PDB file of all heavy atoms in Angstrom:
ATOM      1  N   PRO M 101     -54.091 -21.198  39.429  1.00 89.00           N
ATOM      2  CA  PRO M 101     -52.687 -20.865  39.712  1.00 89.00           C
ATOM      3  C   PRO M 101     -51.700 -21.590  38.811  1.00 89.00           C
ATOM      4  O   PRO M 101     -50.725 -20.983  38.332  1.00 89.00           O
ATOM      5  CB  PRO M 101     -52.519 -21.281  41.184  1.00 89.00           C
ATOM      6  CG  PRO M 101     -53.879 -21.173  41.763  1.00 89.00           C
ATOM      7  CD  PRO M 101     -54.805 -21.584  40.667  1.00 89.00           C
ATOM      8  N   SER M 102     -51.933 -22.872  38.549  1.00 88.00           N
ATOM      9  CA  SER M 102     -51.021 -23.631  37.678  1.00 88.00           C
ATOM     10  C   SER M 102     -51.065 -23.107  36.254  1.00 88.00           C
ATOM     11  O   SER M 102     -50.022 -22.952  35.597  1.00 88.00           O
ATOM     12  CB  SER M 102     -51.386 -25.111  37.704  1.00 88.00           C
ATOM     13  OG  SER M 102     -51.254 -25.645  39.011  1.00 88.00           O
ATOM     14  N   ALA M 103     -52.281 -22.815  35.763  1.00 88.00           N
ATOM     15  CA  ALA M 103     -52.411 -22.283  34.406  1.00 88.00           C
ATOM     16  C   ALA M 103     -51.776 -20.902  34.305  1.00 88.00           C
ATOM     17  O   ALA M 103     -51.157 -20.564  33.285  1.00 88.00           O
ATOM     18  CB  ALA M 103     -53.884 -22.220  34.013  1.00 88.00           C
ATOM     19  N   THR M 104     -51.895 -20.105  35.373  1.00 87.00           N
ATOM     20  CA  THR M 104     -51.292 -18.768  35.376  1.00 87.00           C
ATOM     21  C   THR M 104     -49.775 -18.862  35.347  1.00 87.00           C
ATOM     22  O   THR M 104     -49.106 -18.111  34.618  1.00 87.00           O
ATOM     23  CB  THR M 104     -51.736 -17.989  36.632  1.00 87.00           C
ATOM     24  OG1 THR M 104     -53.169 -17.927  36.662  1.00 87.00           O
ATOM     25  CG2 THR M 104     -51.165 -16.580  36.629  1.00 87.00           C
ATOM     26  N   ARG M 105     -49.224 -19.792  36.123  1.00 86.00           N
ATOM     27  CA  ARG M 105     -47.764 -19.959  36.139  1.00 86.00           C
ATOM     28  C   ARG M 105     -47.245 -20.411  34.763  1.00 86.00           C
ATOM     29  O   ARG M 105     -46.218 -19.932  34.281  1.00 86.00           O
ATOM     30  CB  ARG M 105     -47.350 -20.968  37.205  1.00 86.00           C
ATOM     31  CG  ARG M 105     -45.831 -21.118  37.337  1.00 86.00           C
ATOM     32  CD  ARG M 105     -45.436 -22.071  38.437  1.00 86.00           C
ATOM     33  NE  ARG M 105     -43.992 -22.197  38.508  1.00 86.00           N
ATOM     34  CZ  ARG M 105     -43.192 -21.383  39.190  1.00 86.00           C
ATOM     35  NH1 ARG M 105     -43.717 -20.364  39.849  1.00 86.00           N
ATOM     36  NH2 ARG M 105     -41.884 -21.572  39.202  1.00 86.00           N
ATOM     37  N   LEU M 106     -47.964 -21.335  34.121  1.00 85.00           N
ATOM     38  CA  LEU M 106     -47.590 -21.767  32.784  1.00 85.00           C
ATOM     39  C   LEU M 106     -47.570 -20.586  31.813  1.00 85.00           C
ATOM     40  O   LEU M 106     -46.649 -20.441  31.007  1.00 85.00           O
ATOM     41  CB  LEU M 106     -48.578 -22.824  32.270  1.00 85.00           C
ATOM     42  CG  LEU M 106     -48.375 -24.269  32.720  1.00 85.00           C
ATOM     43  CD1 LEU M 106     -49.520 -25.129  32.197  1.00 85.00           C
ATOM     44  CD2 LEU M 106     -47.035 -24.805  32.239  1.00 85.00           C
ATOM     45  N   LEU M 107     -48.582 -19.744  31.923  1.00 84.00           N
ATOM     46  CA  LEU M 107     -48.694 -18.599  31.023  1.00 84.00           C
ATOM     47  C   LEU M 107     -47.587 -17.585  31.270  1.00 84.00           C
ATOM     48  O   LEU M 107     -47.072 -16.961  30.336  1.00 84.00           O
ATOM     49  CB  LEU M 107     -50.068 -17.950  31.201  1.00 84.00           C
ATOM     50  CG  LEU M 107     -50.518 -16.947  30.131  1.00 84.00           C
ATOM     51  CD1 LEU M 107     -50.587 -17.608  28.769  1.00 84.00           C
ATOM     52  CD2 LEU M 107     -51.872 -16.357  30.507  1.00 84.00           C
ATOM     53  N   ILE M 108     -47.199 -17.412  32.538  1.00 82.00           N
ATOM     54  CA  ILE M 108     -46.138 -16.457  32.866  1.00 82.00           C
ATOM     55  C   ILE M 108     -44.777 -16.967  32.393  1.00 82.00           C
ATOM     56  O   ILE M 108     -43.988 -16.225  31.799  1.00 82.00           O
ATOM     57  CB  ILE M 108     -46.107 -16.197  34.393  1.00 82.00           C
ATOM     58  CG1 ILE M 108     -47.355 -15.433  34.827  1.00 82.00           C
ATOM     59  CG2 ILE M 108     -44.855 -15.397  34.783  1.00 82.00           C
ATOM     60  CD1 ILE M 108     -47.479 -15.268  36.329  1.00 82.00           C
ATOM     61  N   GLU M 109     -44.513 -18.249  32.635  1.00 81.00           N
ATOM     62  CA  GLU M 109     -43.197 -18.796  32.303  1.00 81.00           C
ATOM     63  C   GLU M 109     -42.974 -18.905  30.794  1.00 81.00           C
ATOM     64  O   GLU M 109     -41.848 -18.749  30.312  1.00 81.00           O
ATOM     65  CB  GLU M 109     -43.029 -20.170  32.960  1.00 81.00           C
ATOM     66  CG  GLU M 109     -42.924 -20.101  34.480  1.00 81.00           C
ATOM     67  CD  GLU M 109     -42.737 -21.477  35.104  1.00 81.00           C
ATOM     68  OE1 GLU M 109     -43.047 -22.479  34.413  1.00 81.00           O
ATOM     69  OE2 GLU M 109     -42.297 -21.552  36.260  1.00 81.00           O
ATOM     70  N   ASP M 110     -44.044 -19.184  30.061  1.00 81.00           N
ATOM     71  CA  ASP M 110     -43.889 -19.349  28.611  1.00 81.00           C
ATOM     72  C   ASP M 110     -45.194 -18.938  27.939  1.00 81.00           C
ATOM     73  O   ASP M 110     -46.107 -19.755  27.783  1.00 81.00           O
ATOM     74  CB  ASP M 110     -43.544 -20.806  28.276  1.00 81.00           C
ATOM     75  CG  ASP M 110     -43.132 -20.979  26.817  1.00 81.00           C
ATOM     76  OD1 ASP M 110     -42.845 -19.951  26.167  1.00 81.00           O
ATOM     77  OD2 ASP M 110     -43.101 -22.117  26.345  1.00 81.00           O
ATOM     78  N   THR M 111     -45.290 -17.671  27.570  1.00 81.00           N
ATOM     79  CA  THR M 111     -46.518 -17.146  26.974  1.00 81.00           C
ATOM     80  C   THR M 111     -46.561 -17.508  25.495  1.00 81.00           C
ATOM     81  O   THR M 111     -46.048 -16.789  24.631  1.00 81.00           O
ATOM     82  CB  THR M 111     -46.608 -15.616  27.150  1.00 81.00           C
ATOM     83  OG1 THR M 111     -46.404 -15.288  28.532  1.00 81.00           O
ATOM     84  CG2 THR M 111     -47.966 -15.093  26.720  1.00 81.00           C
ATOM     85  N   THR M 112     -47.161 -18.636  25.199  1.00 87.00           N
ATOM     86  CA  THR M 112     -47.278 -19.114  23.825  1.00 87.00           C
ATOM     87  C   THR M 112     -48.745 -19.393  23.508  1.00 87.00           C
ATOM     88  O   THR M 112     -49.618 -19.286  24.381  1.00 87.00           O
ATOM     89  CB  THR M 112     -46.458 -20.400  23.630  1.00 87.00           C
ATOM     90  OG1 THR M 112     -47.014 -21.436  24.477  1.00 87.00           O
ATOM     91  CG2 THR M 112     -45.000 -20.177  23.991  1.00 87.00           C
ATOM     92  N   LYS M 113     -48.988 -19.794  22.267  1.00 89.00           N
ATOM     93  CA  LYS M 113     -50.348 -20.122  21.861  1.00 89.00           C
ATOM     94  C   LYS M 113     -50.898 -21.289  22.675  1.00 89.00           C
ATOM     95  O   LYS M 113     -52.074 -21.313  23.045  1.00 89.00           O
ATOM     96  CB  LYS M 113     -50.381 -20.468  20.371  1.00 89.00           C
ATOM     97  CG  LYS M 113     -50.020 -19.307  19.455  1.00 89.00           C
ATOM     98  CD  LYS M 113     -49.990 -19.749  18.003  1.00 89.00           C
ATOM     99  CE  LYS M 113     -49.555 -18.605  17.089  1.00 89.00           C
ATOM    100  NZ  LYS M 113     -49.492 -19.017  15.660  1.00 89.00           N
ATOM    101  N   GLN M 114     -50.016 -22.265  22.974  1.00 90.00           N
ATOM    102  CA  GLN M 114     -50.465 -23.450  23.705  1.00 90.00           C
ATOM    103  C   GLN M 114     -50.835 -23.115  25.145  1.00 90.00           C
ATOM    104  O   GLN M 114     -51.889 -23.543  25.645  1.00 90.00           O
ATOM    105  CB  GLN M 114     -49.371 -24.537  23.683  1.00 90.00           C
ATOM    106  CG  GLN M 114     -49.161 -25.212  22.338  1.00 90.00           C
ATOM    107  CD  GLN M 114     -48.420 -24.334  21.340  1.00 90.00           C
ATOM    108  OE1 GLN M 114     -47.748 -23.382  21.742  1.00 90.00           O
ATOM    109  NE2 GLN M 114     -48.541 -24.656  20.058  1.00 90.00           N
TER     110      GLN M 114
END
Side-chain angles (χ1 to χ4, degrees):
S102 298
T104 303
R105 184 177 179 86
L106 278 175
L107 194 60
I108 292 174
E109 291 181 341
D110 190 15
T111 308
T112 63
K113 295 176 183 179
Q114 289 75 20

